[in-house]
Amino acid sequence: MTREQLYLQLHAELPYASTIETEQYIERQDGSLEIHQQILVERPTQRAIVLGKGGVRIKEIGARSRIELASITGKPVHLYLHVKVKPGWDEDREVYRDMGLDWVD
């Protein structure tokens, strides 16, 4: 959902040089879900685009993702997003493995 929101809201502003890593997925005692995710981009300029002026863009991405996730799970969702610059993330085999994809040499 978060990756979908990135592309829906950023359109052509952000090239296909980003991915989402889910760091934590916790079911709280009150029945809600706590999800921590990192949005990985390759350059600082891309980070600025994802954050938006005053953090407006990342807040909107989070809000819409949260609504979609809550709708799918039927539970309240606490979503924490962080944007990290990680040059060469697309060459990291672990990132692909975490997405359920095989690395092909």
Side-chain angles (χ1 to χ4, degrees):
M1 293 300 121
T2 304
R3 185 174 180 83
E4 179 182 339
Q5 285 303 316
L6 273 175
Y7 290 103
L8 289 174
Q9 292 189 43
L10 298 175
H11 308 286
E13 290 181 52
L14 184 69
Y16 292 88
S18 65
T19 191
I20 308 297
E21 282 187 343
T22 300
E23 297 179 301
Q24 288 185 324
Y25 181 94
I26 302 165
E27 290 191 37
R28 292 182 172 182
Q29 289 183 354
D30 64 2
S32 66
L33 301 174
E34 181 177 324
I35 303 170
H36 294 260
Q37 294 181 321
Q38 278 194 26
I39 300 170
L40 299 180
V41 294
E42 292 187 335
R43 297 188 305 271
T45 54
Q46 294 168 336
R47 182 177 187 273
I49 291 169
V50 174
L51 290 174
K53 188 173 183 174
V56 172
R57 178 78 66 194
I58 191 72
K59 288 177 187 173
E60 187 65 20
I61 290 167
R64 291 186 184 187
S65 296
R66 194 175 298 112
I67 290 168
E68 289 291 322
L69 289 166
S71 173
I72 289 169
T73 63
K75 299 178 180 184
V77 175
H78 307 275
L79 180 62
Y80 300 93
L81 299 177
H82 305 280
V83 184
K84 180 179 177 182
V85 176
K86 186 176 178 183
W89 69 262
D90 58 338
E91 297 294 326
D92 185 347
R93 293 173 188 242
E94 289 295 318
V95 171
Y96 289 92
R97 193 171 298 122
D98 290 346
M99 285 190 266
L101 301 172
D102 293 327
W103 182 269
V104 178
D105 287 319

